[in-house]
Amino acid sequence: MRTPPNILFLYADDHAASATGVYGASFGVTPNIDRIASEGVTFDRAFCTNAICAPARAVVLTGKHGHINGLSDNAEVFDPSQDVFPRRLQAAGYETALFGKWHLKSDPQGFDEWEVLPGQGVYYSPDMRTASGTKRYPGHVTEVVTNRALDWLEHSRDEAKPFLLMLQFKAPHRPWRPSLDEISRFEGEDLPI
C-alpha cells in the first residue's frame, strides 16, 4: 500500500511567482523555496481566480469561485462550515495545521491546530489567534510563523499520520517591512524590475 504524501502548502501574500528562482527570478533570493520546489511539485499552469486577498484564500480552501463560496471581497466573512479541502484530508487520515495569515474573519475549521494573524497582522511582535485565545510572539512575523510551524512539525504532530501544513506568510504584503537583521540586505544592489 502506498503511503500518502505529506503536504506543505506555502502561501506568500502578494508574492509574484516571477520573484522566485524556481519560476524565473535571476537574482537568487529564494534558495529554500527553490530547493523545496525541486523536491516536490510546482504549478506552471495555475492562475489567480481573484486578485483580492480574502477571496483568493477562500477559493484555495473550497475550490469554488467567490460568487459560489460567498466571498467576493475583503469585507465579507468566510463561512468555514463549507466543504474545505483540509477537512477532506482529515477524513482521509491526515493531521492538519495552519500557521500565519488567515484574513477570512472567521475561525479556521478543518485544522487540528491553527494559529493565525488577526486581520492583516503586523510585521513586528505579532499577535496570533488560536482556538484557546490570543498569544503574542516577539520577532518578525515571517520568523514567528515559520518557527510556530517548525515547532508543530518537530514536537506536536502525530508522526503516524501524514500531514497537511499550510504555512501562510503576511510578507511581502505592503507596507514591506523586513526583519531588522535583513533591512539593508540589498542596499546598493540593482535589482531587476
Side-chain angles (χ1 to χ4, degrees):
M1 186 163 129
R2 193 175 155 165
T3 304
N6 291 321
I7 302 168
L8 172 62
F9 186 99
L10 302 176
Y11 198 123
D13 208 348
D14 291 348
H15 194 282
S18 62
T20 60
V22 65
Y23 290 115
S26 60
F27 49 93
V29 295
T30 59
N32 293 319
I33 292 173
D34 300 344
R35 181 183 51 79
I36 291 168
S38 73
E39 297 173 7
V41 175
T42 57
F43 298 95
D44 61 359
R45 289 182 181 85
F47 65 94
C48 179
T49 59
N50 194 313
I52 301 172
C53 179
R57 291 169 188 278
V59 168
V60 167
L61 290 167
T62 65
K64 299 182 282 187
H65 289 279
H67 68 284
I68 296 173
N69 72 34
L71 202 71
S72 58
D73 65 34
N74 284 338
E76 297 165 339
V77 177
F78 177 67
D79 175 7
S81 68
Q82 297 180 67
D83 185 18
V84 292
F85 86 91
R87 194 174 293 119
R88 286 190 176 210
L89 287 173
Q90 282 178 321
Y94 275 74
E95 186 170 19
T96 60
L98 164 67
F99 296 94
K101 187 172 176 183
W102 176 245
H103 201 229
L104 295 174
K105 298 183 180 179
S106 57
D107 286 345
Q109 293 184 21
F111 297 96
D112 297 299
E113 182 155 344
W114 55 270
E115 290 191 25
V116 298
L117 297 165
Q120 288 282 347
V122 297
Y123 273 106
Y124 305 109
S125 298
D127 288 338
M128 299 286 280
R129 290 190 313 110
T130 72
S132 60
T134 301
K135 300 176 183 178
R136 176 164 291 161
Y137 294 98
H140 188 270
V141 67
T142 298
E143 294 161 357
V144 169
V145 168
T146 300
N147 289 337
R148 296 304 305 135
L150 289 173
D151 184 60
W152 178 80
L153 277 172
E154 295 169 0
H155 304 292
S156 299
R157 76 176 185 92
D158 181 350
E159 294 192 24
K161 293 181 174 182
F163 68 80
L164 162 68
L165 172 56
M166 295 186 76
L167 189 52
Q168 302 190 159
F169 298 103
K170 172 184 174 58
H173 193 285
R174 204 172 298 181
W176 307 304
R177 297 211 168 111
S179 63
L180 298 179
D181 62 334
E182 299 234 347
I183 206 154
S184 61
R185 180 175 179 182
F186 297 106
E187 192 171 310
E189 289 192 40
D190 186 22
L191 298 175
I193 295 176

